[in-house]
Amino acid sequence: MRRFALGLLALGAAVLTACQDNVSPDSSKPTATPSFRKAPVGDPALLAKMERINTRLRARGLNVAVEAIEAYTIGQGRPSNRIHQTGLRWVPNDERRLAQGDDITYLVDQSDGATASGLSSAQTEGAMDAALATWEAHKALSKVAIVKRTDSGADPDIFDSFFGFGGAGNPFLADIVEAGWLPRAFFETVFGPGGGRGVIAFSVSFIFTDGNNNPTDINGDNYLDTALNEVYYNNTFGDPAADRAGNPWGIDIALPGIDVETVALHENGHSLGLGHFGPPPRALMNPVYNGILQIALASDAAGMSAVWSSWPNP
Ligand SMILES: [Zn+2]
């Protein structure tokens, strides 16, 4: 999160003028993009926060918007949160996100990598790299290379800043950012009462919007265009001073501990386009943590294959 990072985005403040939402479509021209209907689902309080963030993003002229938030929990599950009816996908070679060709890039923010449970930043980064390597090697992702970028020290994430945790970073240093371990209070603020105690980690996906604040579909695949994804991990687990001291983050740790690699594999399943499902069946993408699982199961693999089947061949 880097509290003292330069507020790059704040400098890019732009004023959006003429709102043309009410202009009738010109039927003589082909429709380049389908109309994407808002159909919010999830926790109404969180959806309202997402919309407020999007208003602030528009004021900065960033042309990105928060679209989906998925919470991975221990105990009671929480609903998926998304704003539009249509799903979202990465677009190969998308210049808006400074895409590295057909690759998907990720970055681990080393400034927030150590845990209150006693793991070092190097340990958690190793587990995250292992998780990304598992997806990279999976046959469902054979068409795409998942490439790591080095943490330069610049603040690589933005979602936390809207809740008063860290500055507004540069969101285009990598496609996927492992934003590290943040305080319980951050999770309580994002998810409301109980969020700090129950949410292990969450994924937030942003989409691109046009000058009229509508989602774009520049490659005509009938999906919203993913702009960036950030993953946050809850540092209350294993904090000796907290009521989750009995559920420490660890490396290859069994329940009641929480295995970093398992959670990273799940979270980056979201980063790569999967939602929650089940149980049943038992799957990596079940919404409630259920112990070590460092591979994708059948339904996870089927979902990933569906998402990536149309990606260009390398
Ligand atoms: Zn999840």
Side-chain angles (χ1 to χ4, degrees):
M1 68 180 180
R2 286 193 221 291
R3 196 164 294 276
F4 300 108
L6 200 110
L8 278 180
L9 300 176
L11 297 175
V15 178
L16 291 170
T17 50
C19 174
Q20 300 186 351
D21 285 342
N22 297 321
V23 173
S24 319
D26 180 352
S27 57
S28 68
K29 289 180 184 169
T31 308
T33 55
S35 91
F36 292 121
R37 240 173 11 100
K38 279 193 178 182
V41 294
D43 168 11
L46 180 51
L47 288 163
K49 291 172 193 171
M50 292 161 71
E51 293 279 19
R52 282 199 294 275
I53 290 169
N54 289 344
T55 300
R56 293 170 66 183
L57 285 166
R58 281 198 292 279
R60 293 185 195 175
L62 258 182
N63 289 340
V64 301
V66 176
E67 170 62 24
I69 295 179
E70 302 274 7
Y72 200 22
T73 63
I74 201 161
Q76 193 181 351
R78 286 178 175 257
S80 298
N81 304 276
R82 61 170 201 270
I83 291 179
H84 291 89
Q85 191 169 46
T86 308
L88 63 165
R89 298 265 171 99
W90 296 101
V91 176
N93 305 295
D94 192 339
E95 292 178 0
R96 296 170 297 177
R97 60 179 167 84
L98 311 176
Q100 185 171 312
D102 296 343
D103 300 345
I104 294 293
T105 59
Y106 79 98
L107 183 156
V108 178
D109 183 352
Q110 297 173 332
S111 69
D112 293 308
T115 72
S117 68
L119 299 179
S120 68
S121 181
Q123 284 179 298
T124 59
E125 183 165 4
M128 289 177 179
D129 288 343
L132 269 302
T134 297
W135 281 128
E136 220 280 329
H138 197 281
K139 63 181 190 302
L141 291 154
S142 59
K143 290 179 172 181
V144 61
I146 300 171
V147 179
K148 187 178 186 181
R149 285 193 170 158
T150 306
D151 179 9
S152 68
D155 187 350
D157 48 59
I158 59 173
F159 185 78
D160 52 2
S161 69
F162 293 103
F163 297 88
F165 292 81
N170 178 350
F172 296 115
L173 295 179
D175 300 322
I176 300 166
V177 170
E178 309 298 322
W181 274 260
L182 268 72
R184 177 186 184 122
F186 172 57
F187 291 77
E188 193 78 7
T189 307
V190 173
F191 291 98
R197 177 176 161 78
V199 176
I200 302 171
F202 70 94
S203 157
V204 51
S205 295
F206 295 69
I207 55 167
F208 283 111
T209 56
D210 63 18
N212 294 325
N213 305 321
N214 295 314
T216 65
D217 176 18
I218 61 166
N219 61 339
D221 65 353
N222 296 322
Y223 286 96
L224 314 179
D225 300 337
T226 304
L228 61 131
N229 176 269
E230 297 177 353
V231 180
Y232 292 90
Y233 300 81
N234 188 342
N235 206 20
T236 204
F237 292 89
D239 180 347
D243 62 4
R244 282 299 193 184
N247 304 103
W249 289 104
I251 303 298
D252 301 331
I253 192 173
L255 282 170
I258 299 170
D259 178 46
V260 177
E261 183 175 334
T262 300
V263 177
L265 194 60
H266 172 104
E267 291 305 323
N268 285 279
H270 292 309
S271 309
L272 293 165
L274 297 185
H276 284 151
F277 47 79
R282 170 144 164 80
L284 187 60
M285 298 314 293
N286 291 163
V288 177
Y289 183 78
N290 190 25
I292 294 177
L293 182 57
Q294 298 176 348
I295 54 166
L297 299 185
S299 45
D300 305 306
M304 209 52 111
S305 294
V307 171
W308 292 92
S309 60
S310 61
W311 200 253
N313 280 304

